[in-house]
Amino acid sequence: MSTTDREAPTTWLSQDAYDRLQAELNELIAGRTAMAAEINARREEGDLRENGGYHAAREEQGKQEARIRYLQELLRTAKVGEAPDADSVAPGTVVTIHFDDDPADTETFLLGSREISSTTELTVYSPESALGQAILGSRQGQAVTYTAPSGADIKVTVDKFEPFAG
């Protein structure tokens, strides 16, 4: 199955997280004029080949524009509210796993968007991460193996999962 055949995972955001991201987006958009003025002021300083302030301002503008595009797409496609109950691991669930065959070696985390990480004490793993991809669609008691970024194969078993309550 190609990536174009797969539906992108749904990003669930609490109303608070949605409002916070919308406020950040509005602030970034409002700051475009100030950023353009900063670039113009730096351009006036002289030779652009040796003007570090100008190049730094242009780089910052690029980062801001990328963040604006990211937030616009995230907020356009996000679902606001409580993630629905699922019969398998899905984005928006709090998952407890244990490693290898050692039930005492557990980890509990939220499978979801990194944008939610500032609103919870839980560790957040992206559904696109190696672990996230491996456990998506898993059921309680199911064991899966994934390849860590280090190249090691890691076996985990899903102990339980539940919708994120925020």
Side-chain angles (χ1 to χ4, degrees):
M1 170 168 31
S2 74
T3 55
T4 56
D5 295 338
R6 289 179 31 199
E7 187 176 308
T10 302
T11 301
W12 287 92
L13 296 173
S14 66
Q15 187 64 55
D16 180 57
Y18 183 90
D19 293 344
R20 185 176 43 78
L21 294 172
Q22 185 64 57
E24 180 187 348
L25 175 61
N26 293 343
E27 188 176 305
L28 287 170
I29 289 172
R32 280 177 164 163
T33 327
M35 179 53 67
E38 174 75 12
I39 290 170
N40 284 334
R42 298 293 179 206
R43 184 180 297 130
E44 301 290 323
E45 292 175 356
D47 187 358
L48 296 182
R49 291 175 294 178
E50 297 178 14
N51 189 333
Y54 171 78
H55 294 290
R58 289 294 307 243
E59 185 174 325
E60 184 62 27
Q61 179 189 38
K63 289 177 185 177
Q64 284 184 1
E65 289 301 318
R67 180 74 176 159
I68 287 170
R69 287 188 304 274
Y70 172 78
L71 288 174
Q72 286 173 328
E73 182 63 14
L74 176 68
L75 294 173
R76 186 183 68 78
T77 59
K79 298 214 185 299
V80 178
E82 297 298 318
D85 287 338
D87 59 355
S88 63
V89 175
T93 54
V94 176
V95 183
T96 301
I97 59 170
H98 69 263
F99 293 92
D100 296 318
D101 292 318
D102 182 2
D105 186 10
T106 66
E107 183 175 2
T108 299
F109 57 88
L110 171 62
L111 186 65
S113 168
R114 66 185 173 135
E115 299 301 333
I116 199 82
S117 64
S118 65
T119 66
T120 180
E121 295 292 316
L122 289 169
T123 300
V124 179
Y125 286 103
S126 167
E128 290 82 30
S129 69
L131 174 59
Q133 288 179 355
I135 65 171
L136 268 177
S138 297
R139 298 181 185 284
Q140 186 171 346
Q142 185 174 351
V144 296
T145 301
Y146 71 97
T147 303
S150 66
D153 285 339
I154 300 174
K155 178 183 173 190
V156 298
T157 302
V158 175
D159 291 333
K160 66 179 181 175
F161 60 91
E162 61 191 16
F164 177 59

